[in-house]
Amino acid sequence: MNQKKIIIAVISLSFLSFAWIGYVTFNPDQENPGMVRFISLNDLSSVTESERIRLGGRISAGSIQISKQNQLECDFGLQQGELTVPVNFLGTRPDLFKDDAEVIVEGHYVNEKFVADQLQTKCASRYEGDLRDDSSYNVESI
Amino acid sequence: MIPVLGSISLSLALGLSAISIFLFSVFLKNADYRFFIAGWRGAVAISALSILATFLLLNELLISNFDISYVAHYTSIETPTFYKITALWAGQSGSLLFWLFILSVYTLIVLFQYKNSYTRLMPWVIIVLVIVQAFFLVLVNVIENPFSPTNADFVVVNGNGLNPLLQNLTMAIHPPTLYLGYVGFTIPFAFAIAALITKDTGSVWIRSIRRWTLIAWLFQSAGIILGGWWAYQELGWGGYWAWDPVENASFMPWLTGTAFLHSIIIQEKKGMLKTWNMILIMITFTLCIFGTFLTRSGVMSSVHSFAVSNLGPVFLGFIAIILLVGTYLVIDRASILKSEKRIESFTSRESGFLFNNVIFVVICFAVFWGTIFPVLSEAVQGEKITVGAPFFNQVNVPIGLLLLLFTGIGPLLAWRRTSKEALIRNFTIPILFGIAVFIACFFLGIRETTLISFPLTGFVAAAILIEFHRGTQSRSKRFNEPFFTALKTLISRNRSRYGGYIVHLGIVFMFIGFSGHAFDSELEFAMKTGEIKEFDGYKFELVSITPTERPNHIAWIAGLNIWDQENQLVTRLFPEKRVYFHKDPNPDKRQPHSELDIHSTLVKDIYTIFSGVDMEQQIAYLKIMINPLVWWVWFGGYVLIFGTMIALWPVKEH
């Protein structure tokens, strides 16, 4: 008899837990959501100001402007193919932040400007990339 | 020559695996022992060849043979010898070979240790192990051959070198430790499958794998903790756990493995939960393979994953096979997996174990769900949604606290049924202690989740210490031993039980550390030399910025004096801004890196990052974080490892 009750308890506990996981999935914390949409620049116009989103792209060359008042603040253009969106970022810039670097930013789209509070650069390609360096020479030249 | 030998060894091993499986199937059919011996020898040869291939690759790494693509990509002439060795697991194909290497070492131990025991199980155990080896042999032979030659129309004078982030002692130890864990679960899995196939599902296979599971679990735990330690010391974002897909990948089998370690105790003692144990170990092993897949396939973008590759379908295929065969076996053998006894009461150790198991599996599912959600949402809705740490924290904090609660309750319950008197006797002091901690926390102004987590840690710690105290007291009375002698004999006579309690204590300490996260604070700012900045009760004075040149990098060292409110010097910290390969004419190949500096105490860590420098104006860009109680996470880790070692230590045979 008790075994049945225990099994019912176990099943209810699991059910409650799954309900909880589902609840968090579909009602994330508004202030600090764990689930963020990754958006392409084409769909940017449909985003409301209150929604926290992510954008990925390339820093358009020559667009980086570091604020005179606060060295931690900068503006740059984030490029995705033909489209570019102005981005404002306040915080420590990663080591690999420079022209043409691939970056992912997270924040809000306000008044046609993306205000980011998180910025990541894609990892250095040195360790997966081309082996050629200045001391390499072609086989034919030997 | 040597690369060719390496490739040949791997091909031979793959061929032998087919032969070995064939020999075993003949043995199973006609019971001619000579076929068993032949198959066994084949299995030994597969492992030996795989180990040989690994040493051959190691040799090429050490002599810097850049004609091998792997060597050229992950080492350079300047790479220190020690890191030439660790480059073995720095990249894709090398790490797959390394997986195979560890599996081969484990397999050899099993082959020799049990050659003449478990006669019914062994042929199947070996077959399963050989199949897993064959899977990895296919990978390193066909898809990612570590010996494949450098593909370039020029002579590679020097290799790329090992990422400086990986040139760190912890990073050298963390991957192999984790691998020893991941791979270790293959052995219990092989025994489980063998037990199902031979219909010998009693306690024999459980006894044979308890120790193996514990070893795998020990390495898995240590690997995860070391990974966190490395992230905290090197990556410079101030945390040790980011719920990154690859971290999750190592955490999921740990969760189900932990559940398995607990539930096999019930099967050993009571003959219950047989089906459940089979499912758990299969899930654990599948998650190990899935974890390797996540790390290696590039499906998830993460700091850990290597370049995108075509390993994905092969891994998914293998996982599908494991799940199909496993499910079939469990369903087909359902009648012999019936429990011998029933759970009698809610207040029994059995039901405690059962609830703890459910919670472990639920946490595992939550982590799994969050990890694959981006892929799912893209497939279903065509929209990529990224899942970050806030989701995992929000979901797992309440479930984790429930688990902590059960860590305290479980050991206080008796087998079968706990009487009312015993309940009162066992729970009074821990509950009172928990309430005392709650009141203290409340008056200290602690609120929200930590107002629950601290009292819970108090409750569990008290429950564990009382277990030790009671056991010791009764020994000391009965045998008239002094307290510490009694404690020592108590532990050494019941190693797995008290070792387990010490592990629980380690977990309690870690939870104290996790709770500290709620009080983290940070500040980013720029300051000139000579300036002072106040933050969180401290004054940070930038004394100097000193440029230095070292063999493979240049560094700017920020000299920081940290004063408290009474103007007493707390500590001096020297975070560095470095640029590796600074002599490389191509600026894209130079690699900046921030080497942080931490002042760690029992109460809080002062964590300083030197993120940028302007030498002309003598300005340093700094990020300072105050991270309370992090020390307890590492201390808990040591206690956990110590406890597991006690549980593992062989008992002297009389």
Side-chain angles (χ1 to χ4, degrees):
Chain A
M1 202 54 224
N2 262 324
Q3 171 137 339
K4 216 173 222 168
K5 276 190 205 156
I6 290 171
I7 290 172
I8 292 170
V10 165
I11 291 171
S12 345
L13 179 69
S14 337
F15 183 78
L16 270 178
S17 315
F18 288 122
W20 166 244
I21 295 170
Y23 174 80
V24 178
T25 307
F26 297 105
N27 301 284
D29 187 349
Q30 288 300 321
E31 298 271 294
N32 187 14
M35 295 196 165
V36 180
R37 288 202 295 159
F38 209 120
I39 291 213
S40 93
L41 293 194
N42 282 319
D43 305 331
L44 205 53
S45 50
S46 66
V47 176
T48 58
E49 283 188 8
S50 61
E51 191 191 2
R52 205 178 153 76
I53 52 167
R54 265 186 185 214
L55 296 176
R58 203 172 276 284
I59 299 175
S60 39
S63 69
I64 300 175
Q65 284 182 330
I66 292 164
S67 157
K68 294 260 159 23
Q69 290 87 39
N70 183 354
Q71 289 274 346
L72 287 170
E73 190 178 352
C74 72
D75 285 279
F76 63 92
L78 184 82
Q79 200 177 342
Q80 218 177 59
E82 299 285 293
L83 298 169
T84 307
V85 64
V87 179
N88 171 272
F89 173 67
L90 179 67
T92 307
R93 291 179 291 281
D95 289 334
L96 299 166
F97 182 85
K98 58 188 163 202
D99 283 352
D100 287 322
E102 273 191 65
V103 290
I104 294 172
V105 285
E106 201 175 303
H108 298 269
Y109 187 58
V110 187
N111 295 332
E112 313 222 322
K113 192 170 199 176
F114 193 80
V115 182
D117 50 33
Q118 272 184 39
L119 191 152
Q120 293 170 278
T121 43
K122 269 247 176 111
C123 225
S125 58
R126 181 182 174 99
Y127 304 99
E128 300 290 345
D130 193 5
L131 286 167
R132 191 190 301 266
D133 61 27
D134 282 7
S135 51
S136 300
Y137 43 90
N138 287 330
V139 180
E140 297 92 58
S141 66
I142 313 172
Chain B
M1 189 57 207
I2 285 178
V4 178
L5 268 181
S7 286
I8 292 178
S9 313
L10 291 177
S11 313
L12 266 182
L14 182 57
L16 270 173
S17 59
I19 296 172
S20 175
I21 292 169
F22 173 73
L23 290 168
F24 277 112
S25 46
V26 174
F27 164 72
L28 289 165
K29 195 141 203 192
N30 64 13
D32 186 339
Y33 192 64
R34 286 176 307 171
F35 285 98
F36 176 83
I37 290 296
W40 182 88
R41 284 181 185 148
V44 171
I46 297 164
S47 302
L49 284 167
S50 306
I51 292 168
L52 174 70
T54 313
F55 278 105
L56 291 177
L57 181 63
L58 198 58
N59 181 62
E60 296 309 283
L61 285 165
L62 286 171
I63 62 167
S64 292
N65 179 359
F66 298 130
D67 290 340
I68 296 182
S69 171
Y70 189 81
V71 178
H73 274 93
Y74 297 102
T75 58
S76 63
I77 295 166
E78 304 86 35
T79 308
T81 309
F82 179 70
Y83 295 110
K84 283 182 180 169
I85 298 173
T86 65
L88 185 60
W89 51 81
Q92 181 93 292
S93 55
S95 57
L96 290 172
L97 182 63
F98 191 61
W99 221 102
L100 180 65
F101 167 76
I102 292 174
L103 180 59
S104 300
V105 173
Y106 279 151
T107 305
L108 275 184
I109 297 173
V110 170
L111 285 172
F112 282 95
Q113 189 182 9
Y114 303 129
K115 189 181 176 188
N116 299 315
S117 44
Y118 305 118
T119 40
R120 263 165 63 79
L121 290 175
M122 266 323 265
W124 284 105
V125 171
I126 302 175
I127 288 175
V128 175
L129 290 175
V130 170
I131 290 175
V132 181
Q133 282 181 312
F135 169 68
F136 280 91
L137 281 166
V138 168
L139 294 182
V140 291
N141 268 295
V142 185
I143 299 171
E144 289 276 351
N145 192 329
F147 293 100
S148 61
T150 305
N151 187 10
D153 56 356
F154 53 89
V155 171
V156 179
V157 176
N158 199 356
N160 275 348
L162 188 68
N163 192 328
L165 280 176
L166 303 179
Q167 297 193 23
N168 165 294
L169 187 63
T170 324
M171 209 46 206
I173 312 169
H174 155 70
T177 315
L178 206 49
Y179 272 50
L180 282 164
Y182 269 133
V183 184
F185 284 111
T186 316
I187 312 292
F189 170 75
F191 271 91
I193 296 288
L196 277 176
I197 292 175
T198 57
K199 304 190 179 174
D200 194 356
T201 54
S203 53
V204 177
W205 78 278
I206 291 281
R207 245 179 314 193
S208 54
I209 53 98
R210 208 190 75 88
R211 182 166 288 261
W212 277 105
T213 312
L214 211 50
I215 290 173
W217 188 86
L218 171 67
F219 283 120
Q220 190 84 10
S221 314
I224 292 173
I225 295 165
L226 280 169
W229 167 267
W230 170 76
Y232 191 69
Q233 303 280 329
E234 280 294 311
L235 289 185
W237 51 275
Y240 40 82
W241 191 261
W243 298 103
D244 170 285
V246 172
E247 289 170 359
N248 295 346
S250 65
F251 189 42
M252 288 187 279
W254 184 88
L255 288 165
T256 52
T258 313
F260 181 70
L261 266 181
H262 286 94
S263 65
I264 54 175
I265 300 175
I266 313 191
Q267 181 165 350
E268 243 182 311
K269 299 222 171 183
K270 301 273 161 180
M272 291 189 283
L273 297 182
K274 288 180 188 171
T275 317
W276 178 244
N277 282 330
M278 287 293 175
I279 295 172
L280 267 185
I281 190 62
M282 281 179 202
I283 291 179
T284 305
F285 177 69
T286 313
L287 286 172
C288 287
I289 298 289
F290 181 69
T292 316
F293 158 70
L294 274 190
T295 326
R296 300 294 167 241
S297 66
V299 168
M300 309 281 177
S301 49
S302 123
V303 285
H304 297 74
S305 50
F306 301 103
V308 179
S309 75
N310 45 358
L311 287 171
V314 191
F315 264 101
L316 289 181
F318 188 55
I319 289 172
I321 294 172
I322 302 169
L323 289 178
L324 282 176
V325 173
T327 315
Y328 166 76
L329 282 173
V330 168
I331 293 172
D332 189 65
R333 309 299 204 251
S335 59
I336 51 163
L337 288 171
K338 284 232 167 73
S339 288
E340 291 152 30
K341 289 194 181 114
R342 306 181 126 241
I343 298 184
E344 293 176 30
S345 152
F346 265 109
T347 55
S348 66
R349 184 76 62 89
E350 293 91 322
S351 91
F353 274 122
L354 193 60
F355 281 102
N356 121 324
N357 260 255
V358 171
I359 295 172
F360 273 115
V361 173
V362 164
I363 297 179
C364 180
F365 177 79
V367 176
F368 180 75
W369 175 247
T371 309
I372 62 157
F373 194 81
V375 178
L376 278 185
S377 72
E378 199 170 10
V380 177
Q381 289 188 306
E383 182 176 65
K384 191 158 186 173
I385 294 179
T386 54
V387 180
F391 169 81
F392 291 100
N393 288 333
Q394 200 189 343
V395 167
N396 284 325
V397 166
I399 313 178
L401 289 178
L402 202 60
L403 182 66
L404 183 62
L405 177 70
F406 276 103
T407 314
I409 294 176
L412 297 179
L413 300 172
W415 291 102
R416 294 186 63 199
R417 168 186 306 278
T418 317
S419 66
K420 216 173 231 169
E421 299 74 46
L423 276 179
I424 294 169
R425 193 177 58 232
N426 291 349
F427 280 88
T428 311
I429 297 178
I431 288 179
L432 285 179
F433 191 71
I435 292 174
V437 176
F438 179 86
I439 294 171
C441 285
F442 187 84
F443 283 106
L444 283 170
I446 292 169
R447 290 296 179 276
E448 295 183 2
T449 318
T450 36
L451 188 58
I452 302 167
S453 68
F454 284 132
L456 266 182
T457 54
F459 164 75
V460 181
I464 298 166
L465 292 178
I466 283 170
E467 275 296 298
F468 276 98
H469 183 256
R470 188 179 298 139
T472 311
Q473 200 98 71
S474 78
R475 260 203 87 83
S476 131
K477 259 191 207 139
R478 188 148 30 119
F479 301 104
N480 206 12
E481 285 171 344
F483 189 83
F484 282 103
T485 321
L487 179 67
K488 220 181 107 200
T489 29
L490 178 80
I491 295 173
S492 63
R493 292 276 165 85
N494 308 278
R495 287 181 197 280
S496 54
R497 180 170 167 194
Y498 287 96
Y501 290 160
I502 293 173
V503 173
H504 285 186
L505 211 53
I507 298 286
V508 169
F509 292 141
M510 293 177 92
F511 265 90
I512 293 176
F514 301 156
S515 306
H517 180 56
F519 309 102
D520 287 357
S521 58
E522 62 174 73
L523 185 69
E524 289 178 68
F525 55 91
M527 74 194 298
K528 285 191 173 174
T529 43
E531 283 182 348
I532 290 180
K533 184 97 185 169
E534 282 198 47
F535 173 55
D536 210 17
Y538 295 99
K539 291 175 194 155
F540 296 87
E541 180 190 3
L542 181 64
V543 183
S544 58
I545 306 176
T546 321
T548 324
E549 185 157 4
R550 303 205 183 98
N552 61 348
H553 65 268
I554 41 170
W556 293 273
I557 306 166
L560 278 173
N561 280 354
I562 295 156
W563 312 85
D564 62 13
Q565 290 302 348
E566 282 84 45
N567 285 325
Q568 298 282 330
L569 186 69
V570 179
T571 184
R572 286 200 166 95
L573 293 179
F574 300 94
E576 295 180 12
K577 177 83 209 169
R578 293 181 182 172
V579 175
Y580 281 88
F581 312 109
H582 58 292
K583 286 180 184 154
D584 201 312
N586 177 0
D588 283 342
K589 288 216 168 189
R590 295 178 202 157
Q591 186 167 351
H593 170 74
S594 299
E595 185 75 13
L596 45 97
D597 201 6
I598 307 171
H599 172 69
S600 185
T601 64
L602 291 188
V603 183
K604 60 176 89 167
D605 284 9
I606 301 174
Y607 189 98
T608 58
I609 307 155
F610 187 2
S611 42
V613 64
D614 181 342
M615 274 314 276
E616 274 171 31
Q617 300 192 53
Q618 289 281 305
I619 294 177
Y621 297 96
L622 293 163
K623 184 167 183 175
I624 306 231
M625 300 171 129
I626 308 290
N627 299 333
L629 303 174
V630 173
W631 183 88
W632 291 87
V633 176
W634 317 127
F635 178 66
Y638 286 123
V639 174
L640 179 147
I641 289 166
F642 174 68
T644 319
M645 302 270 249
I646 286 183
L648 263 175
W649 210 260
V651 183
K652 268 188 214 140
E653 301 207 6
H654 298 285

